[in-house]
Amino acid sequence: MVDSKGTCKQILLLAYQSFGIVYGDLSISPLYVYKSTFSGRLHNFHNEDAIFGALSLIFWTFTLLSLFKYVVILVNADDNGEGGIFSLYALLCRHAKCGLLPNHQAADEELSTYHAPGYSSRNTPSSPLRSFVESHKNAKTGLLLVVLLGTALVLSLGVLTPAISVLSSIDGLQIKLPDKHGGLVVFIACLVLIGHFVLQYCGTYKVAFMFAPIVILWLLSIAAVGIYNIINWNPRVYQALSPYYIYKFFRETGKDGWISLAGVFLCVTGSQAIFQDLGQFTAASIRLAFCFVVYPCLVLQYLGWAAFLSRNSSAPINFFASIPEPLFWPFIVLATLAAIVASQAVISATFSTVKQCYALGCFPRVKVVHKSRWIRGQVYIPEINWVLMILCLAVTVGFQDTLCLANAYGLASIALTFIMTFLATLVINLVWHQSLIFALLFILFFGSIEIIYLSSACVQIPKGGWTSVMLTAVVLVIMFVWHYGRRRRYLYDQHNKVSMKWILNQGPGLGIVRAPGIGLIFTALANGVPATFTHFLTNLPAFYQVVVFICFKTVPVPYVPHKERYLIGRVGPKSHRIYRCIVRSGYKDVQDNVDFENDLLMSIIEFIYLEAEGFENPDGFVDGWLAVVRTSEKFGKRLAMSEFDDMEESSSSSRPPFIGSSSRSPALQKLKSLYEWESSPNLRPPVQLKLLDTKFKHSQVKEELLELLEAKSAGISYIIGHSRIKAKFNASFLKRFVINVMYSFLRKNCRSSAVVLNIPRVCLIEVGMNYYL
């Protein structure tokens, strides 16, 4: 009973919090639905039958798509509790092998988050659709394009939603100030937008507690006004809920009624957030908030709006015209606050989508900022924030009207909704293992409805819809070009990697001078020896005494548990002192490399222990064997760590020297410490590591561990490739244009790998590489 009460309280709390994040955009749709619906020629059909028909369309569209499709069905298609377009794609990649992500390993399938309960791809019945997708590369490419198109639409909505929300909320001023030019409304909207985007860096955690009360107050207020309008103007408006009025609507309006469907669809814009933001809540809390508050409040508001219009044919079709006179100015303020909350939710979702897209290798490198005091998973991307602000201001000033914005907004929303329906159909068959007929019935029912709305929205392209088409096309080209160039580069690395035979023929010293220290070589390869390493040795036949190949890879799961993140292995014989570390993360993980060096060293030491305990011959090696070392019960218990706090030990430098017996001379150590401290005074002080267990079965194990600690005390350097990428001279014109112009432009104008990986500049070594793709 206690657990049941605790669960109920948690669901109620999550349902309360969901109002400020999930339902902000959906709740302000009454601001522009009727205005967009009765724009154009439909304005001539301002009679009761036309108004009731439009209301019936709004009610059934809202009920079928928002309630049944998203709240009832789609929230079940979560990926370990996460929603969004990439969660659907990740499910398909794991269960149908239809992804194009490189570096897939069998060890990835052993992650605890890889196979959700009940959705295992093992021993599943065969499907004709699965066989087709897995055996045709073009089908995989087409699926990726569909996902990227949906992502581009999400980013387009990130531009259009703040603009139309804020502008619509202030649009009521034109009723009270008819003599003023519309430029005043646009000016105020621009000020609100600028302030909103400028404050994004601070995060929303300080004011997030206000979001839910604002949206709840807004929903209850518009519901109350709706009830007032129903009673005061037309109590028989409830009859419009009958689908018969839809028939009468099209019989009377004909083609003009079909064109107006793009405005009707605006009643469900924002429904994508129900699935997009699922990860922060639960399906039960989402359904509770929608069914008991959001749905009835919005339905009452739409009924009240129709009742008012049916008795006030000469009134302007403006949401604020239906507001009673004493409540006008409070509603202006409340609508503006609700619009800001809705915009914040969409902007945060845009940041999250870009981060996921970047993690899966489909977006140029950007700086992702995350602070622990923010909500889990909430990120801030400076570049995207300022681009969104500029584009929002451009469309607001450019159109200066909500009708053109609504046409662009509606087209992007309808297209995204149809893409979600298509991906959900694949999930039903390939992930839920339902029959193909059942999946086809799903897309035939919901897809046919959305296609009708999409055809109407396409008519509005010359009247503002071109904006969403242009924004989507530009973002889609950027993402696909980046993915194409990155994938071609990976295939080039895979083809030119060094064979293991070369390593074995070099002898214990690799035929080079081994300098004290640890060299971390970053590569996209999860196996083999990268060409960056051999290219370095070709130009300078010397390297560090310990070499670690580092590969950061994204697994198609939302999160990778920290204890399962590191895969450690050995490359070549033990005498070479070459290791491999694969750092795995999910598409929603936020990488934190603050303690990366210590985590890496502890993981390698644990691997050496595990290897010694599991194999009898310490001189042998098993190439390709990788261990998830952090799952060991003894992890972290074999070393003692101590941090130096006294920064005044040295009279000549405020940075203490490296700890441990190093092969470097004291003068070099002192010079290096002074240089690092002057260049990066905020670096963390060095950490002293000491072995707790000094009893070993084989002396070689102790020797290797001590050598590793000695190398750590000498210093760690980061080696990354500084590549110059060109298309082959005999490549086609299109390929040369994509690689030499578009991909090169994106690489030059995005963040460098060192910045994204948070590599200290004083420890960075770049190796020049030429790529001919």
Side-chain angles (χ1 to χ4, degrees):
M1 182 64 69
V2 176
D3 293 341
S4 177
K5 290 183 178 179
T7 303
C8 291
K9 289 182 179 180
Q10 185 179 13
I11 292 176
L12 290 174
L13 178 61
L14 291 176
Y16 167 77
Q17 294 173 342
S18 68
F19 287 104
I21 298 178
V22 176
Y23 297 114
D25 190 12
L26 184 62
S27 65
I28 63 170
S29 55
L31 291 174
Y32 38 76
V33 170
Y34 278 104
K35 182 177 181 179
S36 301
T37 302
F38 285 95
S39 62
R41 294 182 181 178
L42 200 64
H43 189 73
N44 300 325
F45 299 90
H46 205 182
N47 53 60
E48 185 174 282
D49 285 342
I51 292 172
F52 278 20
L55 171 61
S56 186
L57 278 169
I58 290 172
F59 171 76
W60 286 107
T61 302
F62 185 50
T63 300
L64 292 176
L65 296 184
S66 295
L67 177 60
F68 286 103
K69 178 188 168 183
Y70 280 99
V71 177
V72 175
I73 300 176
L74 208 55
V75 293
N76 296 314
D78 65 289
D79 181 13
N80 291 281
E82 297 293 333
I85 190 169
F86 277 109
S87 69
L88 297 177
Y89 183 61
L91 286 172
L92 294 172
C93 289
R94 300 205 306 268
H95 296 84
K97 304 285 190 285
C98 57
L100 292 174
L101 296 176
N103 281 339
H104 176 75
Q105 295 173 292
D108 298 337
E109 300 185 14
E110 302 301 324
L111 289 169
S112 58
T113 54
Y114 198 90
H115 293 289
Y119 297 149
S120 175
S121 62
R122 304 169 183 176
N123 302 321
T124 55
S126 60
S127 167
L129 182 59
R130 180 196 303 273
S131 303
F132 175 80
V133 173
E134 291 181 352
S135 59
H136 291 78
K137 183 180 178 182
N138 291 336
K140 299 179 182 180
T141 304
L143 178 61
L144 177 65
L145 279 174
V146 171
V147 174
L148 294 183
L149 176 60
T151 306
L153 290 169
V154 171
L155 301 187
S156 298
L157 290 175
V159 174
L160 298 171
T161 302
I164 190 174
S165 300
V166 174
L167 191 60
S168 297
S169 66
I170 307 176
D171 194 42
L173 291 177
Q174 295 187 2
I175 297 177
K176 289 295 183 181
L177 306 173
D179 298 333
K180 297 292 183 179
H181 192 268
L184 176 63
V185 175
V186 176
F187 177 74
I188 297 175
C190 289
L191 290 180
V192 173
L193 289 172
I194 291 174
H196 193 42
F197 281 103
V198 168
L199 295 177
Q200 283 299 309
Y201 176 75
C202 300
T204 58
Y205 66 97
K206 291 183 178 179
V207 293
F209 70 94
M210 299 174 56
F211 290 172
I214 289 174
V215 175
I216 292 174
L217 180 60
W218 166 255
L219 286 171
L220 296 178
S221 299
I222 62 176
V225 170
I227 295 173
Y228 168 81
N229 286 330
I230 293 172
I231 298 174
N232 189 52
W233 297 108
N234 194 345
R236 54 184 291 271
V237 71
Y238 70 90
Q239 297 177 2
L241 301 183
S242 171
Y244 175 70
Y245 280 91
I246 298 178
Y247 166 73
K248 294 180 66 175
F249 175 81
F250 286 112
R251 186 182 64 183
E252 181 179 350
T253 60
K255 181 181 178 181
D256 295 331
W258 166 69
I259 294 176
S260 69
L261 289 178
V264 172
F265 189 85
L266 294 177
C267 69
V268 298
T269 53
S271 299
Q272 300 90 349
I274 296 175
F275 184 59
Q276 177 76 29
D277 299 320
L278 182 61
Q280 300 184 41
F281 307 97
T282 62
S285 61
I286 292 288
R287 288 169 176 154
L288 180 65
F290 185 87
C291 295
F292 288 93
V293 180
V294 178
Y295 183 79
C297 287
L298 289 177
V299 170
L300 287 172
Q301 168 57 33
Y302 290 130
L303 286 168
W305 229 126
F308 174 83
L309 289 177
S310 66
R311 294 292 185 264
N312 297 272
S313 57
S314 60
I317 305 180
N318 189 305
F319 169 82
F320 295 95
S322 67
I323 303 299
E325 182 69 21
L327 301 178
F328 180 84
W329 291 109
F331 258 84
I332 287 284
V333 176
L334 186 58
T336 303
L337 293 176
I340 291 175
V341 173
S343 302
Q344 177 58 48
V346 173
I347 292 170
S348 298
T350 303
F351 291 155
S352 177
T353 301
V354 170
K355 191 268 168 193
Q356 296 172 44
C357 196
Y358 158 70
L360 294 174
C362 300
F363 202 87
R365 292 184 294 268
V366 291
K367 181 181 180 181
V368 179
V369 180
H370 178 269
K371 296 182 180 180
S372 58
R373 64 176 181 268
W374 292 3
I375 302 172
R376 180 195 177 192
Q378 185 181 17
V379 296
Y380 167 74
I381 304 177
E383 300 95 321
I384 302 301
N385 182 63
W386 303 125
V387 170
L388 287 180
M389 186 188 75
I390 294 172
L391 293 177
C392 275
L393 294 175
V395 296
T396 303
V397 176
F399 289 127
Q400 299 188 8
D401 182 40
T402 56
L403 291 178
C404 293
L405 282 173
N407 292 333
Y409 183 49
L411 178 59
S413 298
I414 298 171
L416 178 59
T417 301
F418 180 74
I419 289 176
M420 297 293 285
T421 300
F422 172 75
L423 294 176
T425 302
L426 297 180
V427 169
I428 289 173
N429 180 249
L430 302 179
V431 180
W432 292 354
H433 312 304
Q434 300 295 327
S435 66
L436 186 59
I437 296 177
F438 184 80
L440 290 176
L441 288 176
F442 175 83
I443 194 173
L444 285 176
F445 181 75
F446 291 106
S448 60
I449 297 174
E450 292 158 0
I451 284 293
I452 294 174
Y453 283 107
L454 184 60
S455 63
S456 172
C458 290
V459 178
Q460 309 294 343
I461 290 179
K463 301 177 182 179
W466 59 269
T467 307
S468 59
V469 175
M470 182 184 67
L471 289 173
T472 303
V474 171
V475 176
L476 178 62
V477 169
I478 290 175
M479 291 190 298
F480 187 76
V481 166
W482 183 264
H483 173 79
Y484 175 78
R486 187 173 178 269
R487 180 169 176 81
R488 296 299 304 178
R489 179 179 174 182
Y490 170 80
L491 294 176
Y492 182 91
D493 285 335
Q494 186 75 17
H495 179 73
N496 291 275
K497 66 181 180 180
V498 181
S499 64
M500 185 56 56
K501 183 178 180 181
W502 181 86
I503 291 287
L504 298 176
N505 292 336
Q506 300 305 310
L510 293 177
I512 58 175
V513 178
R514 304 297 290 267
I518 299 177
L520 306 182
I521 302 177
F522 289 83
T523 175
L525 301 178
N527 53 68
V529 180
T532 306
F533 181 55
T534 56
H535 188 69
F536 185 95
L537 298 183
T538 302
N539 292 274
L540 182 64
F543 210 76
Y544 295 98
Q545 65 187 103
V546 176
V547 179
V548 184
F549 297 135
I550 306 292
C551 173
F552 284 91
K553 60 177 290 187
T554 301
V555 185
V557 297
Y559 299 102
V560 175
H562 193 69
K563 66 178 182 179
E564 302 178 27
R565 186 160 296 179
Y566 288 84
L567 275 176
I568 305 295
R570 188 187 297 278
V571 179
K574 293 184 178 181
S575 56
H576 285 181
R577 302 295 189 259
I578 303 179
Y579 307 93
R580 184 185 309 282
C581 174
I582 300 176
V583 185
R584 302 178 294 183
S585 59
Y587 55 84
K588 296 203 72 173
D589 273 321
V590 178
Q591 294 184 0
D592 185 4
N593 298 327
V594 175
D595 295 324
F596 174 70
E597 292 182 2
N598 294 327
D599 288 346
L600 174 64
L601 190 67
M602 293 174 64
S603 299
I604 294 177
I605 290 175
E606 184 65 27
F607 169 79
I608 295 173
Y609 273 105
L610 293 177
E611 189 183 41
E613 295 171 358
F615 297 96
E616 294 296 331
N617 183 10
D619 295 326
F621 71 94
V622 180
D623 184 60
W625 179 66
L626 298 171
V628 186
V629 295
R630 286 180 170 266
T631 57
S632 172
E633 297 180 356
K634 297 181 179 180
F635 181 81
K637 300 178 181 179
R638 307 182 193 265
L639 289 174
M641 299 178 60
S642 59
E643 201 171 82
F644 281 83
D645 297 325
D646 186 7
M647 307 303 292
E648 299 179 355
E649 291 184 4
S650 174
S651 58
S652 60
S653 172
S654 57
R655 172 81 181 262
F658 287 105
I659 305 302
S661 57
S662 173
S663 301
R664 295 183 179 181
S665 65
L668 286 177
Q669 293 186 39
K670 182 178 179 180
L671 181 63
K672 184 178 186 299
S673 299
L674 179 62
Y675 174 67
E676 287 186 352
W677 178 244
E678 290 179 348
S679 302
S680 301
N682 294 324
L683 284 176
R684 296 186 63 187
V687 174
Q688 182 183 18
L689 299 177
K690 183 180 179 181
L691 294 174
L692 295 178
D693 185 7
T694 57
K695 298 180 181 179
F696 302 95
K697 183 177 179 180
H698 302 284
S699 59
Q700 295 91 334
V701 175
K702 180 178 181 181
E703 178 183 349
E704 183 176 7
L705 291 173
L706 293 177
E707 184 175 347
L708 185 63
L709 294 178
E710 179 186 355
K712 168 65 169 64
S713 65
I716 297 179
S717 297
Y718 298 78
I719 297 93
I720 63 174
H722 184 77
S723 53
R724 175 179 175 270
I725 299 177
K726 292 289 183 181
K728 295 180 180 178
F729 71 93
N730 59 347
S732 64
F733 171 78
L734 180 60
K735 183 176 180 180
R736 282 186 282 123
F737 179 76
V738 169
I739 298 296
N740 297 344
V741 179
M742 301 180 69
Y743 185 62
S744 297
F745 175 81
L746 294 176
R747 292 185 69 249
K748 292 177 181 177
N749 291 276
C750 69
R751 300 275 183 172
S752 65
S753 300
V755 174
V756 173
L757 295 172
N758 198 24
I759 297 176
R761 299 293 301 178
V762 295
C763 306
L764 177 64
I765 299 175
E766 294 183 323
V767 181
M769 296 287 295
N770 288 324
Y771 286 80
Y772 295 97
L773 308 180

